[in-house]
C-alpha cells in the first residue's frame, strides 16, 4: 500500500546510460541480510490483502547489523505499482513480495506507533526495502540481480509522495495487530470482512 512507483521510474527506464553507474553503485553498497519464514497473504478485495504472520515460521528479516524485522498482521497491496508499469518485467506488485511486506510493516509501525518504530525514518525504510530486495535477488532461484529495478524502487519509496504518506498516514490494521506496547490489539468496531477468513483465497511463499 505504501510503495509508490511514480513517473521518475519510467524516466529511468528510458535513460539507462544515465542510471547504470548510479544503480550499480546503490546495488553494491546495499547490504544483504537473512530472510526466512513463510509469507502468507489473504485476498480481501481488489488490490487489498491481509498479511497473516505464520505462527510456526514467521516471515523475518534480519539485517546485517542484527536488527530483526518481523511483520505482524496488516493490510497490504504488495507493491503499489501503477497499472501502466505492470507490463514491464519485474514491476509486478508481487515481484519482490518479501521486500514490499517488510516495507509496508515499517510504515504500519510508524502510523500505529508500534514498539520500535522510533528506530526508523523514511530513508531507513527505503534502505531496508532495498536490502530485502537484494537478498532476494542474490538467490539464483529468484531471477538474479536487477540493479535498475532496485534503484528505481528505492528512489520511488523516498519520493515526496512516499514522504507525505510516511508523515501523514493513519493507523489502519486488521484486528489482532500489535499495539504501541507490543500487545495484541482487539478492535470491536472492525467489520467482519477485515478478519482472517480461511474461505478466502490465499497464497504462500516459503523462504
Amino acid at each position: 500500500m505504501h510503495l509508490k512507483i511514480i513517473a521518475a521510474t519510467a524516466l529511468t527506464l528510458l535513460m539507462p546510460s544515465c542510471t547504470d553507474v548510479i544503480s550499480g553503485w546503490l546495488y553494491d553498497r546495499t547490504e544483504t541480510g537473512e530472510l526466512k519464514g513463510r509469507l502468507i497473504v489473504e485476498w480481501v478485495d481488489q488490490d487489498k490483502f491481509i498479511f497473516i504472520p505464520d505462527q510456526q515460521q514467521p516471515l523475518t528479516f534480519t539485517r546485517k547489523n542484527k536488527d530483526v524485522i518481523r511483520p505482524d498482521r496488516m493490510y497490504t497491496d504488495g507493491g503499489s505499482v501503477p497499472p501502466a508499469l505492470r507490463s514491464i518485467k519485474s514491476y509486478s506488485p508481487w515481484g519482490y513480495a518479501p521486500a514490499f511486506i517488510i516495507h509496508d510493516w515499517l510504515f504500519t509501525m510508524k502510523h500505529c506507533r508500534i514498539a520500535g518504530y522510533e528506530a526508523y525514518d523514511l530513508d531507513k525504510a527505503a534502505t531496508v526495502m532495498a536490502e530485502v530486495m537484494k537478498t532476494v535477488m542474490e538467490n539464483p532461484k529468484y531471477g538474479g540481480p536487477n540493479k535498475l529495478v532496485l534503484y528505481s524502487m528505492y528512489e520511488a519509496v523516498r519520493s515526496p509522495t512516499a514522504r507525505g504518506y510516511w508523515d501523514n498516514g493513519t493507523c489502519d490494521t486488521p484486528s489482532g495487530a500489535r499495539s504501541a506496547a507490543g500487545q495484541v490489539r482487539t478492535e470491536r468496531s472492525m467489520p467482519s470482512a477485515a478478519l482472517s477468513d480461511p474461505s478466502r483465497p490465499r497464497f504462500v511463499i516459503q523462504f
Side-chain angles (χ1 to χ4, degrees):
M1 75 186 82
H2 314 304
L3 181 64
K4 303 299 180 183
I5 306 300
I6 55 177
T9 300
L11 291 175
T12 62
L13 295 172
L14 297 175
M15 300 184 294
S17 61
C18 298
T19 58
D20 284 348
V21 173
I22 298 174
S23 61
W25 172 81
L26 176 66
Y27 190 90
D28 291 343
R29 72 186 288 268
T30 298
E31 297 176 335
T32 58
E34 181 185 10
L35 181 65
K36 62 181 181 179
R38 302 176 80 213
L39 191 163
I40 305 173
V41 175
E42 181 177 285
W43 181 82
V44 176
D45 201 347
Q46 294 185 26
D47 290 331
K48 187 170 187 177
F49 302 80
I50 296 176
F51 169 76
I52 301 172
D54 185 275
Q55 297 302 309
Q56 282 71 47
Q57 301 178 66
L59 181 69
T60 304
F61 183 66
T62 304
R63 303 182 68 196
K64 189 173 182 180
N65 66 4
K66 303 306 179 183
D67 286 350
V68 177
I69 303 171
R70 184 175 296 119
D72 197 5
R73 185 184 300 269
M74 65 176 174
Y75 290 116
T76 183
D77 64 354
S80 302
V81 181
L85 292 178
R86 295 181 186 182
S87 61
I88 303 174
K89 185 178 180 181
S90 299
Y91 285 95
S92 160
W94 299 101
Y96 296 97
F100 303 155
I101 293 295
I102 296 291
H103 184 259
D104 278 4
W105 176 243
L106 294 179
F107 271 72
T108 299
M109 287 178 64
K110 166 72 162 51
H111 296 156
C112 298
R113 301 296 190 265
I114 294 170
Y117 80 93
E118 304 93 340
Y120 298 94
D121 57 21
L122 182 67
D123 288 336
K124 284 186 179 180
T127 296
V128 170
M129 189 200 71
E131 290 175 356
V132 183
M133 287 185 70
K134 183 174 180 180
T135 300
V136 173
M137 290 178 176
E138 293 285 294
N139 188 327
K141 289 171 55 180
Y142 302 113
N146 191 323
K147 298 178 181 180
L148 180 57
V149 168
L150 186 145
Y151 167 68
S152 60
M153 291 191 174
Y154 170 79
E155 289 298 332
V157 299
R158 298 168 64 241
S159 70
T161 300
R163 185 169 298 280
Y165 191 77
W166 177 267
D167 292 337
N168 303 311
T170 58
C171 180
D172 179 22
T173 60
S175 178
R178 289 201 296 269
S179 69
Q183 299 173 334
V184 173
R185 297 167 60 237
T186 300
E187 300 178 8
R188 295 183 180 179
S189 62
M190 184 64 61
S192 59
L195 304 178
S196 179
D197 182 350
S199 68
R200 293 198 195 108
R202 292 185 178 186
F203 64 84
V204 179
I205 303 173
Q206 177 78 51
F207 293 92

